[in-house]
Amino acid sequence: MSGKPIDQEKVKDQKEKVTQMVADLESYFLKGKKFIGGDKISIADLLGVCELVQLYGCHEHGLYEKSPVVKAWVDNVKQETNPHFEESMVKINHIHSTFLTESGQK
């Protein structure tokens, strides 16, 4: 979006970090639980999901959707907070569409 060239090595490094974070989230924070704190949604869930769904904007949401546990957690947070969740996604959805349009990706 800035017009500057993309540092592919930095992108690769960040993808690896996200992949590790998703694995940690699955194996430690969500292990056997619907939400981070147990059976009820908390601010930890809202903050965590808000960070992850930003990846949707640049078509990298597959980094967390590969994990069925993390994907289910994101879906649970969406379900618990809708319609407000979808309202909060307007800008990210717009960025997602912009990247789609500019890059020609589908």
Side-chain angles (χ1 to χ4, degrees):
M1 291 179 78
S2 69
K4 295 179 183 177
I6 296 171
D7 182 343
Q8 292 299 332
E9 193 59 38
K10 196 179 241 184
V11 170
K12 180 182 174 197
D13 180 58
Q14 293 302 311
K15 284 183 178 183
E16 289 171 1
K17 287 179 180 179
V18 169
T19 300
Q20 182 59 54
M21 182 272 308
V22 168
D24 292 344
L25 186 59
E26 177 178 344
S27 67
Y28 182 75
F29 293 101
L30 294 171
K31 188 173 185 174
K33 298 182 283 189
K34 184 176 181 179
F35 297 107
I36 290 175
D39 292 333
K40 293 186 179 182
I41 193 169
S42 71
I43 189 70
D45 299 293
L46 297 175
L47 294 173
V49 167
C50 284
E51 290 299 317
L52 278 181
V53 297
Q54 291 179 55
L55 293 167
Y56 181 75
C58 59
H59 297 262
E60 293 292 347
H61 49 289
L63 291 171
Y64 68 85
E65 288 183 346
K66 286 184 210 175
S67 164
V69 171
V70 174
K71 183 174 183 332
W73 170 63
V74 171
D75 291 343
N76 289 334
V77 171
K78 287 180 183 181
Q79 184 178 7
E80 288 286 322
T81 59
N82 265 333
H84 308 292
F85 185 90
E86 290 304 325
E87 291 169 4
S88 74
M89 289 290 293
V90 169
K91 287 187 179 186
I92 292 172
N93 289 335
H94 176 72
I95 292 169
H96 177 85
S97 297
T98 300
F99 272 110
L100 181 68
T101 303
E102 290 178 2
S103 66
Q105 295 178 359
K106 297 242 181 219

